[in-house]
Amino acid sequence: MNILTFDVEEWFHLLDFDATRTEAEWGKYEVRIYENVDRILDILERTNTKATFFIIGWVAKTYPDVVKKIAAKYQIGSHTMNHQLVWQQRPEEFRNDVESSVKLLQDITGQPVECFRAPGFSIRKSEAWAFEILSDLGIKYDSSIFPAHHAHGGMPEFHSSEPTKVRYGAFVIKEFPISYKTIAGKHLVFSGGGYFRLFPYPLIKKWSKEHSDYLLSYIHPRDLDGGQPMLEGLPLARKFKSYVGTKGAAKKLEKYLTDFEFTDIATAAQRIDWNKTPTFVL
Ligand SMILES: [Zn+2]
C-alpha cells in the first residue's frame, strides 16, 4: 500500500533557518503557493490519484481559497498553525497552536480535521504528551513519527515501519510512520522531499518496489517548483539540499504516480485491519 501526502507550506518555510523562522518574516516573500498547489492538483487529476494534504494554518489563514480548492476533492490535515518544532514548545503552546489550526481548517472546509503531521517529524519520545493533546483535539490519524534518528526529531524507539496504534495512557492514535531506507547508516526518505529530488528515478522506483507492503511518501509544493527564488543567506549545503532537482521533480512525480498506485490516509485507514496492527505504548 502506497500513501501520498503533501505538507502544504510556502517555498520559504524552511526549518532551522532563522531568517524565515517565524510568521513575522513570512509576509515579505513572493507568493508562490497558488501555482505550486495547482501544479500538484493537476498531476493528481491526470494520474487519478488521491492524497492527504497537511496544511499550515498560516497558509490557510492567508490564502483560504487555496484550502477550499484542495478540500473540494482531497483529504485535509493539520500541519500546525505556525510550523514550529514540537520539542521547542511547552504542551500548552502546542495545544493552542494545533487547536487554532484545526478550528481554522474546519471553518474553511466544513469538514472534520482528523489527520496531523508535526513539522520536521519533531515528536520524539520525550514529547509523548503530544498524542494526548492531538487525541483530545479530535485527531485520529498521525503521520509525525520518523522511526529513526532525524535532524529535527525522530523516534528510534518506534521500531515499526507499518501503520501502528500508538497508545499514551488512555489515548490511542493510529500512526502512519514515514518510510525510509537505510544506506551507509543514513536514513533516506527516498519517496519524498529532498531525496526524491536528488536520486534518479530508476532508484526511487527500485526502492519503492522493496516497500510494497507500506510506503508513505511526503512532498512539499516547493519540491516541485523549479522557478522559486533562492533564499538569501542559506549556507551552501542547505542551498543544495533545498534546491537540488526542483526543476525536474514535477515530471518525476507524475511518472511515479503513473507507475505506482498511491492513495490517501482516509482510504488506507479503511483498508487496514487495525486489530492486526502492532501497538506501540509510549
Ligand atoms: Zn513542514
Side-chain angles (χ1 to χ4, degrees), residues 7 9 79 83 119-120 220:
D7 292 357
E9 43 198 70
H79 191 40
H83 206 243
H220 308 91

Side-chain angles (χ1 to χ4, degrees), residues 95-106:
R95 173 185 284 274
N96 291 338
D97 180 281
V98 177
E99 187 168 26
S100 58
S101 77
V102 166
K103 278 189 178 154
L104 178 65
L105 290 169
Q106 288 180 168

Side-chain angles (χ1 to χ4, degrees), residues 11 38 48 97 139 150 152 166 193 198 205 212 215 263 273:
W11 62 277
D38 281 351
N48 193 24
D97 180 281
I139 300 297
H150 186 272
H152 301 117
V166 172
L198 176 68
K205 191 171 174 180
S212 60
L215 176 67
T263 193
D273 181 353

Side-chain angles (χ1 to χ4, degrees), residues 179-198:
S179 303
Y180 66 92
K181 182 173 179 65
T182 306
I183 294 175
K186 278 206 112 182
H187 308 304
L188 311 181
V189 188
F190 60 89
S191 64
Y195 289 118
F196 178 79
R197 287 185 267 113
L198 176 68

